[in-house]
Amino acid sequence: RFLPLLTSLYLEGGDPMALPGAHVLRILSHARERFPALERVACYATARAINAKSVEELARLASAGLRRVYVGLESGCDEILTRIHKGSCRADFLRAGHTLAQAGIENDVSIMLGIGGPEFSQQHADDTASLLSELRPVCVRIRTFIPVGNSPMGQDYLAGRFTLMEPHDILRELRLMVC
């Protein structure tokens, strides 16, 4: 009874933008039929999935209601992106951000404090700040890195190959990014 009044929708899934554009358009069309008051749709996307689409294809998705894409940037430092096996580099994120902007879709990014450990903290802060300045996302979400035991970074932490940053050092890293 309340669902027809739904105005905002988030497309779940690991990376809905990895689907062919025509498929995403069908989903958006169905959502508009089902929820006539729908004004805004958002989803998560990887830089790789965004970069696989043209500006024109993304603009069609924007016209169909896709307003915001959340991108897990994590870091602007290529060394860290390689170490965490992100699958994208700084240039990929820049290209994706510019493509989204040209298509009229908001870019909302997440960064991860402490992801480089003490060894790469300064580089992470500098490179991430400069990338964010170039991207100019509508929102920056800040997370703090906590390794999961069964992940490669978790295994590195458990084996003593990765050092977690202390809370005050994480705050210093954030200060470096914003000042």
Side-chain angles (χ1 to χ4, degrees):
R1 159 199 256 177
F2 295 105
L3 290 180
L5 301 177
L6 186 80
T7 60
S8 182
L9 180 68
Y10 179 79
L11 300 180
E12 280 292 328
D15 186 359
M17 293 293 282
L19 294 168
H23 190 82
V24 179
L25 275 174
R26 284 193 300 275
I27 292 169
L28 294 171
S29 175
H30 179 74
R32 281 203 177 279
E33 287 172 19
R34 186 83 171 108
F35 311 113
L38 188 62
E39 298 170 3
R40 169 186 150 117
V41 178
C43 72
Y44 172 80
T46 60
R48 181 180 302 162
I50 295 165
N51 290 334
K53 293 183 175 18
S54 68
V55 172
E56 296 76 23
E57 188 173 17
L58 289 168
R60 284 192 295 277
L61 296 177
S63 293
L66 184 63
R67 299 286 179 260
R68 182 174 284 197
V69 171
Y70 299 95
V71 179
L73 178 68
E74 320 321 353
S75 178
C77 176
D78 278 336
E79 174 87 19
I80 292 170
L81 294 170
T82 299
R83 284 177 174 230
I84 66 171
H85 307 282
K86 184 66 183 174
S88 295
C89 65
R90 178 188 181 92
D92 296 330
F93 288 112
L94 267 176
R95 182 172 156 227
H98 293 311
T99 302
L100 287 172
Q102 288 175 341
I105 298 172
E106 296 175 338
N107 186 11
D108 184 319
V109 301
S110 295
I111 61 169
M112 196 155 303
L113 299 177
I115 190 86
E119 179 184 6
F120 287 97
S121 182
Q122 180 74 47
Q123 192 69 45
H124 172 54
D126 292 345
D127 291 355
T128 303
S130 70
L131 179 56
L132 291 172
S133 293
E134 288 183 69
L135 281 176
R136 303 184 59 81
V138 297
C139 182
V140 177
R141 296 171 191 276
I142 299 170
R143 313 277 191 250
T144 301
F145 176 69
I146 303 292
V148 176
N150 62 353
S151 70
M153 292 286 289
Q155 292 301 312
D156 285 347
Y157 169 69
L158 292 172
R161 293 185 299 268
F162 180 83
T163 304
L164 285 178
M165 291 176 58
E166 295 295 324
H168 284 96
D169 295 327
I170 296 232
L171 290 172
R172 277 196 249 339
E173 185 175 88
L174 177 60
R175 186 173 192 272
L176 287 170
M177 283 185 202
V178 297
C179 293

